[in-house]
Amino acid sequence: MNEYSSKLLELAVGELSRLPGIGKKTALRLALHILKEEEVFAENLGSSIIKMRKEIVFCKKCNNISDADTCEICANHKRDENTICVVEDTRDVLAIENTAQFNGLYHVLGGIINPIEGIGPNDLFIKHLIERIHHEDIREIILALPATVEGDTTSFYIYRLVKEFGVNVTTIARGVAVGDELEYTDEITLGRSILNRLPFENSMKRS
Amino acid sequence: MNEYSSKLLELAVGELSRLPGIGKKTALRLALHILKEEEVFAENLGSSIIKMRKEIVFCKKCNNISDADTCEICANHKRDENTICVVEDTRDVLAIENTAQFNGLYHVLGGIINPIEGIGPNDLFIKHLIERIHHEDIREIILALPATVEGDTTSFYIYRLVKEFGVNVTTIARGVAVGDELEYTDEITLGRSILNRLPFENSMKRS
């Protein structure tokens, strides 16, 4: 007897547990839920996954997920085409768009340099950034990568590549999060926030 | 502009986030993972879900998930056909099978009575249990339902239904879990374990 009393169940649990953060027990719970729902539930779920993977495209310009060759942000001429914000993936685009504080364009790397996971600069959408600098009128590149060793490595790598083109390279501010108590902020963050202190009038700015 | 820069992504995230315990953020993380993988990954995942829901059957006898009309446990004549263990769902069958301490048959209710979620006795596979008592030679029914109010309600409901047939109804032991310290065990469990104390020789039994 196989572990799950049904080969079909075993197969679905196996596939679901390949997803990140989903173990065998969670996968089984999900599969049993799908079995309890109407057949149309499984059909919608399954076909939306297959259709998305098959038909989705990445914006030729910024590599963001898109339904067309050029994404809606790149195609929007009301946006500031001189400023590019470099991010790790689509989730970061969504997060920054939600702040309503940025009106430039994006450049989605599709990951960050991570030697342990075998991800090098060539696996990322970095070369295309250089091409954009050649062909577009870019004045500022904002590095908005994770505040981790891998994020800092990637930022430094891109900085070294682009500085020769005379583009202004900035990075998003690291510091005490809004609403945080100083005593609970870790030393490195607090230290950086002191080193990178700014004139009080600037801190009151709301764009 | 829609929230996700792609309708296809939005659709897949929407479907994924209907799964229990998966919110919009997790669903987006899963969708982006699927996009990073090869197309065959999405195809295997999607089609295994659809195929499972479409083709899986439930054992006519015990309601366990199965690939055939009668599941492998019910079809196995080496098992004790006089003892039936009543459980909530397939996961409990797997858990009890893993203990290798039970050699009888199962009866899978497909849920437990839960008025808050609108699940009554008629939504469960309870009537079929009475039919089994009529047609099979059942001497003992073991109630192995969750140690919750809903589980106890369901146990009591089944007990009242089946006691008139002269079947021996038992319930699995509640008590201090193996490996647990008494001081960290909750009062109700510890209280029950004292009330339901058993002769020391019995506690040493290993079937």
Side-chain angles (χ1 to χ4, degrees):
Chain A
M1 182 189 161
N2 72 63
E3 195 189 350
Y4 288 118
S5 82
S6 155
K7 290 258 176 238
L8 292 164
L9 177 66
E10 193 178 9
L11 205 71
V13 169
E15 292 298 332
L16 284 165
S17 63
R18 283 160 182 260
L19 291 169
I22 294 188
K24 284 258 165 179
K25 285 211 170 182
T26 307
L28 179 58
R29 194 163 55 83
L30 298 180
L32 292 178
H33 178 86
I34 293 165
L35 284 175
K36 269 193 190 173
E37 295 285 326
E38 297 292 319
E39 199 169 317
V40 70
F41 180 92
E43 268 166 14
N44 286 345
L45 176 61
S47 62
S48 72
I49 289 170
I50 295 171
K51 196 174 155 72
M52 170 186 76
R53 180 61 186 82
K54 194 173 262 170
E55 295 180 14
I56 228 165
V57 287
F58 293 88
C59 173
K60 270 197 282 192
K61 223 169 147 184
C62 76
N63 194 37
N64 194 12
I65 286 166
S66 172
D67 289 336
D69 270 0
T70 306
C71 76
E72 292 179 60
I73 295 174
C74 286
N76 183 349
H77 292 296
K78 284 186 187 153
R79 300 195 66 124
D80 170 13
E81 296 181 344
N82 306 125
T83 312
I84 288 186
C85 182
V86 176
V87 294
E88 182 182 357
D89 66 25
T90 299
R91 277 177 292 175
D92 304 319
V93 174
L94 297 179
I96 293 171
E97 284 297 288
N98 279 339
T99 69
Q101 298 292 313
F102 179 69
N103 193 38
L105 304 181
Y106 291 94
H107 190 85
V108 180
L109 296 179
I112 47 175
I113 297 171
N114 191 334
I116 294 167
E117 293 187 10
I119 301 168
N122 292 333
D123 301 315
L124 305 175
F125 206 67
I126 290 179
K127 268 187 205 159
H128 304 78
L129 183 62
I130 309 300
E131 280 170 31
R132 288 182 79 174
I133 293 170
H134 281 303
H135 296 105
E136 298 173 34
D137 182 20
I138 295 164
R139 291 181 207 150
E140 181 179 356
I141 288 178
I142 303 171
L143 299 171
L145 297 173
T148 59
V149 176
E150 290 81 15
D152 287 346
T153 305
T154 313
S155 287
F156 192 67
Y157 181 88
I158 294 172
Y159 171 71
R160 285 208 314 181
L161 271 184
V162 303
K163 67 175 176 184
E164 60 184 286
F165 298 103
V167 178
N168 189 14
V169 180
T170 59
T171 177
I172 55 169
R174 314 280 186 213
V176 180
V178 177
D180 269 11
E181 304 274 2
L182 291 199
E183 59 188 303
Y184 300 123
T185 304
D186 70 284
E187 293 157 36
I188 298 172
T189 303
L190 192 56
R192 278 212 200 181
S193 77
I194 290 168
L195 279 176
N196 300 325
R197 64 192 178 278
L198 66 172
F200 186 70
E201 310 92 72
N202 291 17
S203 74
M204 308 296 286
K205 263 199 276 184
R206 295 277 184 279
S207 66
Chain B
M1 181 189 161
N2 72 63
E3 193 188 352
Y4 289 118
S5 81
S6 155
K7 289 260 178 234
L8 291 166
L9 178 65
E10 193 179 11
L11 205 70
V13 168
E15 293 296 334
L16 283 165
S17 64
R18 283 161 182 259
L19 291 170
I22 295 187
K24 284 258 166 181
K25 285 210 168 182
T26 308
L28 179 59
R29 195 163 53 84
L30 296 180
L32 293 178
H33 177 86
I34 293 164
L35 284 174
K36 270 193 188 175
E37 295 285 327
E38 296 292 320
E39 200 169 317
V40 69
F41 179 92
E43 270 167 13
N44 286 345
L45 175 62
S47 62
S48 72
I49 289 170
I50 296 171
K51 196 174 155 70
M52 171 186 75
R53 179 62 186 80
K54 195 173 263 170
E55 295 181 12
I56 228 164
V57 288
F58 293 88
C59 174
K60 271 198 279 190
K61 223 169 145 183
C62 75
N63 194 36
N64 194 13
I65 286 165
S66 173
D67 290 336
D69 271 0
T70 306
C71 77
E72 291 179 61
I73 294 174
C74 287
N76 183 350
H77 292 296
K78 285 186 186 153
R79 299 195 67 124
D80 169 13
E81 296 181 344
N82 306 124
T83 312
I84 288 185
C85 183
V86 176
V87 295
E88 181 180 359
D89 66 23
T90 299
R91 277 177 292 175
D92 305 319
V93 175
L94 297 177
I96 294 172
E97 285 296 289
N98 279 338
T99 68
Q101 298 292 314
F102 179 69
N103 193 39
L105 304 181
Y106 291 94
H107 191 83
V108 181
L109 296 178
I112 47 175
I113 296 171
N114 191 334
I116 294 168
E117 292 187 13
I119 301 169
N122 292 332
D123 301 315
L124 306 175
F125 205 67
I126 291 178
K127 269 186 204 160
H128 303 77
L129 184 62
I130 309 300
E131 281 169 33
R132 288 182 78 175
I133 293 170
H134 281 304
H135 297 104
E136 298 173 35
D137 181 21
I138 295 164
R139 291 182 206 150
E140 182 178 355
I141 288 178
I142 304 172
L143 299 170
L145 297 173
T148 60
V149 176
E150 291 81 15
D152 288 346
T153 305
T154 313
S155 288
F156 192 66
Y157 181 87
I158 293 173
Y159 171 71
R160 285 207 315 180
L161 272 185
V162 304
K163 66 175 176 183
E164 60 184 285
F165 298 104
V167 179
N168 190 15
V169 180
T170 59
T171 177
I172 54 169
R174 314 280 188 214
V176 181
V178 176
D180 267 13
E181 305 272 2
L182 292 198
E183 60 188 300
Y184 299 123
T185 304
D186 70 283
E187 294 157 35
I188 298 172
T189 302
L190 193 55
R192 276 211 202 182
S193 77
I194 291 167
L195 280 177
N196 300 324
R197 64 193 177 280
L198 66 170
F200 186 69
E201 309 92 72
N202 291 18
S203 75
M204 307 297 284
K205 263 200 274 183
R206 295 276 183 279
S207 66

